[in-house]
Amino acid sequence: MTAGAALLGWGLWRLVGDRGPLLVHHDLTARLRYAQLTGPREVLMFGTPGAEPHLAQGFYATGGLGGEAFVWARPEVELSFTWDRQEERVAILDLAALPGLAAQSVKVALNGQPVGEFGLGDARARHRLSLPAAAQKAGENRLAFAFARSASPAELDPATGDRRTLAAAFHAMVVGLASDAGLDDLLGRNAPPPVAVADRDGAPALVQAGPEAVRYAFVLGDRLQLRFTPALHDAARAAAAKVRFRVTLEETPGVEQELWAQTLDPAAPAAGEVRIALGRWAGRPVRLGLHVGGALRFGWGLWGAPRLLGPGAVATLQAPPYTPEEDAKAAAFRQGLAGTNVLFVILDAARAFQFGTYGYARATTPHIDALAREGVVFDRAYTPAVYTLAAMSAVWTSQYPDRHRSDLSFAARLPKDKLTLAEVLSARGVANAGFVANAMAGTALGFERGFAEFHEVFRFFPELGSRGEAMRRVVPDWLEKHKAQRFFAYVHFREPHFPFDPGPPFSTQFGPDAPLGVAERRDSTWYKEVSQGTRQASQEEIDHLVRLYDGNLAYADREVGELVATLERAGLLEKTVVVIAADHGEQLFEKGYIAHSAQVHEESTRIPLIVRFPKSLGLGGRRIAGFADLLDIAPTVLDVFGLADAKFAKEAQGRSLLPMIAGAPGKPAVLSRTVWERPVYALRDGPFKLIHDTRSGRSLLYDVESDPREQADLYARASIRAEAMEQALYAWLGQLKPVAPGQAEKDTLTRDQCENMRALGYLDPRTKCPE
């Protein structure tokens, strides 16, 4: 039985085999890869968040092999270490050559000075590296690996479809002082990994090579117990080593309380299960430490089935399905929606802060505000990604972007195996069409899939380009043609997205049209240089930028008003559910950044979400405080049409908004991300928001309820809460399964698509488009 199988078996046993009232709330073996490892040695478990800041260059995203984390290395890679002073050090490195790649070898250099060369052999093995003090420096050190051979997995096995150039897999690394004799013990044939999960008697066990502490952070639930069975590792028993086990708890950083301790002797009988009550800390963020040490050599121990047990439902960040009682609350709404249509409107890069219905002082959105007064307003709606490609992928599939593909770049198409809302609607005979003014939501990236009609309006009218007025020339005719049928119409405006050039009268609606000139408002060079810090923007320029953005939004609002008037003239308004949202927001020099894609502050992640129902349902004027996001759009549309699709529902991670409008609770948390393979994430959980950079490992923590513009970082004084949110974030991400590397479709942009993306600021203005 593998460790992964043991873990699954244990979870099922606890749920269905235990007659008591306790359930596993946290399995500490499952959370190991997200925990902190501390001790006199530096331990890197590659493929886990703790190792990410050390991956300087040349590594691919984490992979999984038999359930164990690791990272793939390109032919040349570098690791980064920060040391206070120069000392003789040793590293034990756990490596494996790319399977099928024979006679692999590697040369290693520390800060440019050669420190080793060895062959990898055919099997995974551990290798010893001396890191001389003379090659080190105080501060950052770079450990470089140059592999002799490389290949793509597809060359060795075409069935993989993986065309990346790879050399080896990095599994683990331990760095310590050369005087630490215990490091060489890790080279022994029966030596355990520095930390790992193993199968022991049909249940998962946490293996630790001391001296080391594994630290978990939680906000503890009610009446939880920590349970485990301590044991010596077989190699420690064979070496007659006595090993000390300890459990500590920190409520205040750096102030540890010892909850339990015991030294295990090979000559003594096996220890029984330990139970530690944690109820006194319920509702508080704490750091729980599992320590192994005592022996100078072979201080290796196991924690059998370490877990937190408690009564009641197991809390998760992923929104659970509604209970039958919660779902039934929407029954009356569903009856009243019989025969209705859906008009779904996206305003590109529209941040909630700038709408009147969300408290903005300027009259930027009078038409949308009127819809909001007659409809339902979601006060805490978020995008799962701050760029169009990933956000709209989430809309159509109701799945988080991390599940779509491993490469979340601007060029990756939506994978074909992901069922879309349009495919379901078309299969059920619902008339549907898409009208988009942004190429990033268009055919180049596969978003037309499933639509009966799909129109990139920027292609039709050269004099208008991607301006919202183009919709007037195509959408009304389509609505008139299909008004006798139930329909779904999707209208994606480019505004208020860059270029920030609304034209009269909107360019002067909120103040003078200066000092930014035509080049600054139409060419992305200016705002990119300001964001990068290579150009200083005056306060007058930033104020003008905001006025132009507001003008863009006011222009889009006018066009939304025209759409609503079209519905009314056609006699469709009271037969149509109108949904107004944005794919993401926009930062206007908050935190020194203009645009979106690269930051996940509230200006970029919090979006408008307004649903106007026929007046006969009596839902006007409601405001919903619970969390919602764009993943909820597709399930809501299907709910309005009274449709169910088993495959779509099985994969969907969003929920219909109808029960929530009827009083069911919102999501427990929402997740947003930036672009890049190693992104920045934002996690909203209750009043708190964590912003975590997976590349650097750094985090920010805000109380957004009291600090909605994120001015006061609380990380330093609430570090344990922040760590609890970090570990919860990674546990959530671990549930998402992206498409295997190399399977994401990639297309070359056409000239029209390239030019449109360049005009919208996604591409550098100097980018050369295809002829």
Side-chain angles (χ1 to χ4, degrees), residues 590-608:
E590 294 89 1
K591 309 296 188 296
Y593 180 65
I594 301 170
H596 49 275
S597 300
Q599 291 192 6
V600 283
H601 290 286
E602 290 290 279
E603 293 82 5
S604 288
T605 59
R606 185 168 167 242
I607 58 170

Side-chain angles (χ1 to χ4, degrees), residues 160-176:
T160 66
D162 187 350
R163 301 193 177 280
R164 297 174 298 171
T165 301
L166 306 177
F170 279 63
H171 289 269
M173 188 173 187
V174 182
V175 180

